[in-house]
Amino acid sequence: MSAPERIPPRSVTPVDLLAEGELTVRGRIREASNAALFCTVAYEGQEASCVYKPVAGERPLWDFPDGTLAQREAAAYEVSEATGWGLVPPTVLRDGPYGEGMVQLWIDVTPEAELLALVDGEEPEPGWKAVGLAEVGEGRTALLVHADDERLRRLAVLDAVINNADRKGGHLLPTEGGHLYGIDHGVTFNVENKLRTLLWGWAGEPLTGEALEVLGALQEGLKQGGGLALRLAGLITAAEVEATHARVEALVTSGRHPEPSGEWPAIPWPPV
């Protein structure tokens, strides 16, 4: 009699852990404008730290009346995954101790990584891109710059696709391993152009070949009946999915990074 075939244990992915694990609230992140709770999540012998943002703790926004911040956060993760760049930490929409909310893997950052700076002068040094002049007190101004970094450039493309209205410096999380994540995507996917970001350094410049290839894949995925369109349909409105598709098509057609519209402040406040 032959021995029974051994079934190898299922590999638990970060998304499995976040979606299926037991969520335990450890504390509140007080810097957040909406309820954000620091938690641990445990599943099949694995445990990780995460952030849980319950819908019940969201403040209504008059210019984002449809859906929830949590849904848009989950939608941003779906688009990020479709790019293959992995720019948004693993994120799920699930039930938790305070009801449905967004649960996202906690990311430990490398504080030494310098991505933004205020410098004297009117032109950035090599390796930096200019964003604009900023008041620094006592009537002084300084030039706000960000690193000329391919990771930031990819994030600038993602922000243009999801129409991010709040890309601040504090939303950039560089890790010890060299990866860069962006977080806080609750004000995204509006049908109106609301792009506000610190990453204007490539405004008007040609998109990279890599970016155009990624945008082409998004274009296919966002067509009616496309895989990405179907995944987003449960998270944002049909009009927002169509607007996302239109933004991708516009980027592919222009072949360039978008520029500020001039209709409203292009940089979020506060910028960090």
Side-chain angles (χ1 to χ4, degrees):
M1 182 175 178
S2 60
E5 181 180 356
R6 294 188 62 186
I7 300 175
R10 182 171 71 92
S11 176
V12 177
T13 69
V15 169
D16 293 332
L17 179 60
L18 295 173
E20 305 295 336
E22 181 180 356
L23 199 60
T24 303
V25 176
R26 302 297 184 185
R28 182 168 183 175
I29 302 171
R30 299 195 176 277
E31 296 83 1
S33 54
N34 293 277
L37 305 174
F38 179 73
C39 302
T40 55
V41 61
Y43 181 62
E44 294 192 356
Q46 295 195 32
E47 184 173 297
S49 299
C50 60
V51 177
Y52 164 48
K53 297 181 180 179
V55 172
E58 296 180 4
R59 298 177 182 177
L61 299 173
W62 67 268
D63 52 344
F64 285 83
D66 299 317
T68 65
L69 305 183
Q71 288 173 308
R72 290 190 285 271
E73 293 248 32
Y77 172 70
E78 291 291 347
V79 176
S80 168
E81 287 300 283
T83 67
W85 287 333
L87 297 170
V88 177
T91 306
V92 301
L93 192 68
R94 59 163 286 180
D95 195 36
Y98 299 103
E100 184 178 66
M102 182 279 291
V103 179
Q104 186 174 82
L105 191 68
W106 180 268
I107 301 298
D108 291 318
V109 302
T110 303
E112 295 81 10
E114 191 172 18
L115 298 173
L116 298 164
L118 287 168
V119 298
D120 293 325
E122 298 181 355
E123 296 293 332
E125 295 291 329
W128 295 87
K129 304 288 285 187
V131 178
L133 292 173
E135 293 187 11
V136 294
E138 299 181 355
R140 293 181 57 248
T141 60
L143 185 65
L144 177 62
V145 298
H146 64 68
D148 187 2
D149 186 311
E150 68 172 6
R151 301 170 301 171
L152 290 180
R153 192 165 190 172
R154 289 171 175 172
L155 197 56
V157 173
L158 176 67
D159 284 343
V161 170
I162 66 177
N163 198 15
N164 192 351
D166 194 34
R167 175 60 71 208
K168 297 177 180 177
H171 300 166
L172 306 174
L173 304 184
T175 70
E176 187 175 354
H179 197 80
L180 176 71
Y181 291 101
I183 60 169
D184 284 354
H185 297 107
V187 285
T188 49
F189 295 102
N190 202 297
V191 296
E192 298 179 8
N193 181 8
K194 292 185 176 290
L195 185 59
R196 287 192 294 266
T197 176
L198 290 177
L199 304 179
W200 288 115
W202 297 281
E205 292 187 16
L207 293 161
T208 65
E210 177 196 47
L212 288 170
E213 183 176 343
V214 165
L215 289 167
L218 291 181
Q219 201 171 14
E220 288 298 312
L222 287 165
K223 287 181 178 179
Q224 188 172 6
L228 180 57
L230 293 174
R231 292 193 295 277
L232 293 180
L235 299 169
I236 58 178
T237 67
E240 289 167 336
V241 176
E242 291 174 6
T244 304
H245 189 200
R247 286 191 297 271
V248 172
E249 290 191 323
L251 287 166
V252 171
T253 300
S254 72
R256 294 182 177 275
H257 287 269
E259 299 182 75
S261 67
E263 298 175 3
W264 56 78
I267 297 175
W269 187 262
V272 294

